[in-house]
């Protein structure tokens, strides 16, 4: 069986062809340099390839350079392609598209940050959606966003919980009544996460690890809240600041 050699694209310069080939190289350092080149000298013909590579690139630092390269291209070219990636079955494609949209920060992206993405079963996708949402949320929609994010309290391990807390804190004081309500939840993980997030809201310099461990101790000492009362600290003081 014979194969027909691929015909070079006449619309691409040799330099463009070489750069696109380098994006597929097995050496991550070469892929990194190629991504840097596509951002240093933007070319509309790079966009599809950058987005395609973002969906499969295994190295974080290369993915970060791919995102930077995409931000260097015209938004009218990158935005439709990135929004399309949000419907991909590949989790990394959704996550990277959300991350890039948060860097581009075009308000037209907001309607695409759906509840489905904010509650995505994949932690990386959900975390990227939380960050993108806090960047893109229009003025006046913060409370509704906070209510959706609060449904994820208690989810995942430390890294995921920290990402959610940071997203909630970025929304400001609007989250206080939502966190107060979460301290009455039956799930102890939700109550502890709400208490730790409220501590970060009040003291942004507080370390999350210490805040969550203290919150877990508080929840363990007080047990399940009764009659809708918020969790209390070890001295029996309500933890809602009332």
């Amino acid at each position: 069986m014979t194969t027909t050699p691929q015909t070079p694209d006449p619309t691409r310069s040799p330099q463009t062809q070489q750069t696109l080939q380098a994006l597929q190289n097995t050496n991550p350092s070469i892929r990194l340099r190629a991504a840097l080149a596509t951002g240093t000298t933007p070319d509309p013909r790079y966009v599809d390839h950058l987005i395609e590579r973002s969906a499969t690139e295994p190295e974080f630092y290369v993915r970060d350079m791919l995102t930077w390269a995409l931000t260097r291209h015209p938004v009218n070219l990158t935005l439709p392609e990135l929004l399309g990636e949000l419907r991909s079955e590949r989790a990394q494609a959704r996550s990277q598209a959300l991350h890039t949209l948060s860097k581009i920060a075009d308000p037209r992206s907001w309607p695409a940050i759906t509840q489905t993405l904010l509650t995505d079963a994949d932690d990386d996708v959900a975390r990227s959606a939380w960050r993108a949402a806090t960047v893109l949320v229009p003025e006046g929609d913060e409370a509704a966003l906070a209510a959706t994010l609060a449904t994820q309290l208690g989810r995942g391990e430390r890294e995921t919980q920290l990402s959610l807390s940071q997203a909630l804190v970025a929304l400001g004081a609007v989250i206080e009544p939502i966190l107060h309500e979460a301290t009455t939840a039956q799930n102890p993980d939700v109550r502890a996460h709400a208490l730790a997030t409220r501590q970060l809201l009040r003291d942004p310099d507080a370390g999350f690890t210490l805040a969550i461990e203290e919150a877990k101790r508080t929840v363990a000492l007080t047990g399940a809240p009764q009659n809708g009362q918020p969790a209390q600290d070890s001295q029996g003081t309500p933890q809602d600041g009332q």
Side-chain angles (χ1 to χ4, degrees):
M1 178 178 179
T2 60
T3 58
T4 303
Q6 184 176 1
T7 303
D9 187 340
T11 66
R12 296 177 186 164
S13 68
Q15 181 63 43
T16 300
Q17 294 271 24
Q18 184 178 12
T19 299
L20 292 175
Q21 290 173 359
L23 284 175
Q24 308 297 324
N25 196 283
T26 57
N27 187 327
S29 295
I30 293 177
R31 298 198 303 274
L32 180 68
R33 289 196 294 271
L36 174 62
T38 64
T40 302
T41 310
D43 185 323
R45 292 167 292 189
Y46 289 146
V47 171
D48 286 347
H49 298 273
L50 291 170
I51 292 175
E52 181 180 356
R53 186 65 206 176
S54 296
T56 59
E57 172 56 51
E59 299 293 340
F60 169 79
Y61 61 93
V62 179
R63 294 198 303 270
D64 216 37
M65 188 64 76
L66 292 167
T67 288
W68 172 79
L70 283 166
T71 66
R72 297 272 296 162
H73 287 77
V75 175
N76 67 315
L77 295 178
T78 59
L79 190 61
E81 299 291 336
L82 291 167
L83 294 179
E85 287 291 279
L86 300 183
R87 298 186 294 272
S88 173
E89 294 183 359
R90 187 189 294 271
Q92 184 172 308
R94 301 195 302 277
S95 177
Q96 283 302 118
L98 285 162
H99 176 63
T100 305
L101 289 170
S102 74
K103 297 300 183 182
I104 294 173
D106 190 294
R108 292 172 293 178
S109 304
W110 169 245
I113 312 300
T114 62
Q115 184 170 349
T116 299
L117 289 169
L118 292 169
T119 60
D120 197 285
D122 186 278
D123 284 346
D124 286 339
V125 175
R127 288 164 49 201
S128 294
W130 300 339
R131 288 191 292 267
T134 59
V135 170
L136 295 166
V137 60
E139 185 176 356
D141 285 356
E142 294 89 351
L145 173 59
T148 298
L149 295 182
T151 67
Q152 304 301 291
L153 286 166
R155 170 179 174 167
E157 302 298 329
R158 178 192 176 280
E159 187 175 9
T160 297
Q161 293 195 0
L162 174 58
S163 292
L164 181 61
S165 292
Q166 290 172 332
L168 283 164
V169 168
L171 298 175
V174 70
I175 70 172
E176 290 189 355
I178 295 170
L179 292 178
H180 172 67
E181 182 178 355
T183 64
T184 69
Q186 291 300 310
N187 187 326
D189 292 334
V190 172
R191 299 202 305 277
H193 197 180
L195 288 170
T197 302
R198 188 163 55 189
Q199 176 62 24
L200 286 182
L201 177 65
R202 295 173 176 177
D203 182 9
D205 294 328
F208 181 77
T209 298
L210 292 177
I212 194 68
E213 291 304 321
E214 178 61 28
K216 288 179 179 178
R217 285 194 293 270
T218 296
V219 168
L221 287 169
T222 58
Q226 301 297 318
N227 301 321
Q229 295 300 312
Q232 299 178 337
D233 64 16
S234 57
Q235 285 74 45
T237 304
Q239 293 295 289
D240 60 359
Q242 301 297 318

